[in-house]
Amino acid sequence: MDNRDNNDKPGKPKVDQPSRRKFLINTGYVLGGAVVGGAIGALARKPLAPAPAPAKPSAPAAAEPRNFNRALMFFNQEQFGILNAAVERLFPADENGPGAKDLGVAYFIDHQLAGDYGFNARDYMSPPFYAGEKVQGYQGRLKRREIYEIGLREMDNYSQAQYGKGFAQLTGDQQDAVLKAFESDQVKLTTISASGFFRQLLSNTLEGAYSDPLYGGNINMAGWTMRNYPGNQMSYANIIDKDFTKMPPSSLQDHMTAH
Amino acid sequence: MAKTLPKVDVVIVGVGWGGGIIASELTKNGLTVVGLERGKERKTEDYYMVHDELRYALRYELMQDLSKETVTFRSNEKIRALPMRQYGSFLIGTGLGGAGVHWNGQTFRFLPYDFQIRSKTAERYGANKILRKCRFRTGALRTTSSNRTTINSRKWSAFPANRTRLAESAPPVTRRRR
Ligand SMILES: Cc1cc2nc3c(=O)[nH]c(=O)nc-3n(C[C@H](O)[C@H](O)[C@H](O)COP(=O)(O)OP(=O)(O)OC[C@H]3O[C@@H](n4cnc5c(N)ncnc54)[C@H](O)[C@@H]3O)c2cc1C
């Protein structure tokens, strides 16, 4: 089940356009690499090789029918605006397919933070708190939802200080500069780690792009389609000994009717 | 109120591979064994949504709830041991079957040392460090804290159903006498 290390299959076509998605490649985190707890904090992770799908005409999501499942559970509008702009820079729409905005990534993050994950409900959050070594993982007392609130506010503050505008109003290049300043801890914060927040944001962005649409992101499985990823098939028994088989992705929803 | 249950030869706390194999060997040797497990019993039908990578691989649904209990660790004696607050490199199993419910199915070849543990231990620490008056035949057991427990998956899946009955609150459980 734990296949986080299996992202680098040999023979995968590489994206070699100088796309903005390179930014993502260069940050060097694997899908779902939020796991810095336990004893691996210091281990390097394999770089993500995103979007190996053959280049497709950038397809902006078709106008969708009104979706009553789509509203905010946690963020206010302003926070959501900052987040939506930020995730689109981390996972931009380009020739490979839709970006984070069209995939609903910010909704995914909003919904995650509204529940157990945002409250760190299954993490050990009791005192005493001590600063630990990197290998000892997260030792803070702040919950993920609190980290997000602080992080987004600080991104906006930094944008104001640098450019006299809020993050969402900046140009793409300026937004990248802000994100990079966080990523490299050029921004000094007293409350949270700027780079820690950046990593959290990046991990959750990738989760939102590639986890089951059930959670609000990866709309219409477009994140999977973009990568030729078959989603969660019940079985590969029929094709396991055949040559590579292309198939339309299937979601958890498909399992509800499969049997 | 405490309820007194019939006396048994052995009580095993935790029925993962370790507890499971021990129960199996002891009952084969005619002892009565009770296994206590904190988690619920799980069946294939409970995993209809098992392909949900977010839920299982990234949010660790099958692992011990760290808010209730965790371990502390440090890499050397010079630093302060701190709690593992979130999952990282090692994952703690919970429920019947323990970590064996979600292992990856890889079985490693034995190393030469695996066949020499007794002699090497005696060589290094003295023969008197080895428990001699062991009533039970435990030689066949090979459960270590590392990844080297060897059972094949067929045996594994055959195990829980017929050897162990589990109850979350009411203790009791395996009763097999020969
Ligand atoms: C993701 C993953 C992949 C793995 N892949 C492989 C692999 O491919 N090959 C391999 O050889 N090994 C693998 N392993 C390792 C192997 O699965 C474990 O080492 C093994 O299952 C551990 O067995 P155990 O009985 O020692 O502990 P556990 O399985 O953890 O069992 C302990 C049991 O005790 C119970 N318990 C704990 N506290 C209490 C309490 N207070 N009261 C009652 N019950 C309690 C728990 O609920 C649990 O059921 C993997 C492990 C993981 C996590």
Side-chain angles (χ1 to χ4, degrees):
Chain A
M1 171 170 300
D2 191 349
N3 49 9
R4 268 171 282 138
D5 284 342
N6 294 341
N7 284 335
D8 289 320
K9 302 241 168 59
K12 242 174 22 176
K14 286 260 171 349
V15 188
D16 40 23
Q17 308 90 330
S19 89
R20 281 185 291 152
R21 202 161 273 159
K22 274 271 160 59
F23 178 62
L24 185 61
I25 301 175
N26 293 336
T27 54
Y29 288 92
V30 77
L31 169 59
V35 280
V36 190
I40 51 157
L43 294 186
R45 293 187 196 89
K46 287 189 184 162
L48 178 79
K56 267 186 210 149
S58 165
E64 281 177 48
R66 194 164 162 209
N67 182 353
F68 294 101
N69 293 335
R70 185 111 307 197
L72 294 179
M73 298 179 188
F74 171 64
F75 287 122
N76 64 30
Q77 296 276 24
E78 192 195 350
Q79 292 166 325
F80 187 76
I82 301 169
L83 180 65
N84 214 4
V87 295
E88 181 65 17
R89 296 312 297 173
L90 298 175
F91 197 101
D94 64 11
E95 59 283 356
N96 296 300
K101 250 184 211 173
D102 286 336
L103 290 170
V105 165
Y107 285 103
F108 166 88
I109 296 177
D110 173 77
H111 299 351
Q112 287 290 302
L113 294 178
D116 275 4
Y117 182 71
F119 282 108
N120 295 48
R122 283 167 53 84
D123 296 344
Y124 187 77
M125 294 299 283
S126 305
F129 292 94
Y130 295 101
E133 304 287 316
K134 213 169 181 184
V135 291
Q136 291 176 302
Y138 182 65
Q139 291 294 334
R141 63 182 77 215
L142 290 176
K143 297 176 173 154
R144 291 185 187 88
R145 43 166 48 206
E146 296 166 328
I147 290 176
Y148 260 92
E149 291 196 302
I150 295 170
L152 294 176
R153 181 165 10 96
E154 294 292 357
M155 267 171 50
D156 222 38
N157 289 346
Y158 184 79
S159 306
Q160 289 288 358
Q162 297 293 310
Y163 305 104
K165 283 183 197 161
F167 182 84
Q169 282 75 50
L170 301 181
T171 66
D173 287 346
Q174 291 169 334
Q175 288 173 336
D176 288 357
V178 173
L179 288 166
K180 281 177 179 163
F182 273 71
E183 182 189 15
S184 59
D185 274 323
Q186 245 169 279
V187 185
K188 300 280 177 241
L189 305 176
T190 52
T191 39
I192 58 170
S193 146
S195 59
F197 173 63
F198 177 86
R199 284 197 302 274
Q200 175 85 46
L201 180 64
L202 180 56
S203 294
N204 294 147
T205 301
L206 297 176
E207 286 171 5
Y210 296 125
S211 53
D212 196 274
L214 160 69
Y215 295 100
N218 188 13
I219 290 179
N220 293 330
M221 300 187 278
W224 291 344
T225 309
M226 180 166 28
R227 297 181 66 114
N228 276 333
Y229 177 67
N232 36 68
Q233 306 284 333
M234 273 298 199
S235 166
Y236 295 100
N238 297 335
I239 54 158
I240 189 90
D241 51 1
K242 302 215 169 75
D243 284 343
F244 185 80
T245 308
K246 263 195 167 184
M247 60 185 83
S250 117
S251 72
L252 293 171
Q253 166 63 35
D254 292 314
H255 300 340
M256 298 301 292
T257 49
H259 286 261
Chain B
M1 230 191 38
K3 188 177 166 198
T4 308
L5 296 165
K7 216 169 165 50
V8 293
D9 298 318
V10 179
V11 175
I12 295 172
V13 180
V15 192
W17 284 354
I21 297 169
I22 291 167
S24 163
E25 293 297 318
L26 293 179
T27 51
K28 271 189 226 160
N29 281 269
L31 291 157
T32 310
V33 178
V34 165
L36 300 179
E37 175 57 61
R38 64 179 169 185
K40 55 184 176 185
E41 192 163 7
R42 298 179 283 194
K43 315 179 283 303
T44 307
E45 296 81 66
D46 295 329
Y47 299 106
Y48 207 46
M49 292 289 144
V50 75
H51 291 292
D52 188 339
E53 198 176 347
L54 184 75
R55 174 173 168 190
Y56 291 105
L58 299 181
R59 302 284 186 260
Y60 307 112
E61 165 120 346
L62 295 174
M63 313 304 166
Q64 175 174 302
D65 180 347
L66 295 181
S67 72
K68 294 187 180 148
E69 191 180 349
T70 188
V71 295
T72 58
F73 73 99
R74 55 180 169 177
S75 343
N76 60 61
E77 332 69 286
K78 295 199 184 80
I79 66 175
R80 186 197 295 271
L82 293 175
M84 177 169 84
R85 295 185 178 275
Q86 300 174 358
Y87 278 112
S89 60
F90 79 99
L91 309 169
I92 308 176
T94 192
L96 177 61
V101 170
H102 47 69
W103 73 310
N104 286 330
Q106 294 156 352
T107 50
F108 298 99
R109 192 186 287 255
F110 282 126
L111 296 171
Y113 172 74
D114 292 321
F115 298 98
Q116 302 168 333
I117 294 178
R118 188 189 173 89
S119 34
K120 292 281 183 198
T121 305
E123 207 175 281
R124 181 147 185 184
Y125 300 103
N128 58 349
K129 290 286 180 205
I130 296 169
L131 189 61
R132 238 161 304 162
K133 276 200 185 153
C134 190
R135 273 183 57 206
F136 315 130
R137 191 180 64 91
T138 53
L141 306 190
R142 190 175 297 278
T143 53
T144 63
S145 54
S146 72
N147 273 1
R148 317 212 59 260
T149 315
T150 53
I151 318 183
N152 65 41
S153 52
R154 188 183 53 78
K155 275 190 201 146
W156 166 245
S157 56
F159 146 63
N162 51 20
R163 295 262 161 86
T164 322
R165 264 183 299 116
L166 260 287
E168 215 167 335
S169 46
V173 171
T174 312
R175 204 139 291 184
R176 263 184 127 226
R177 205 182 261 279
R178 269 203 228 152

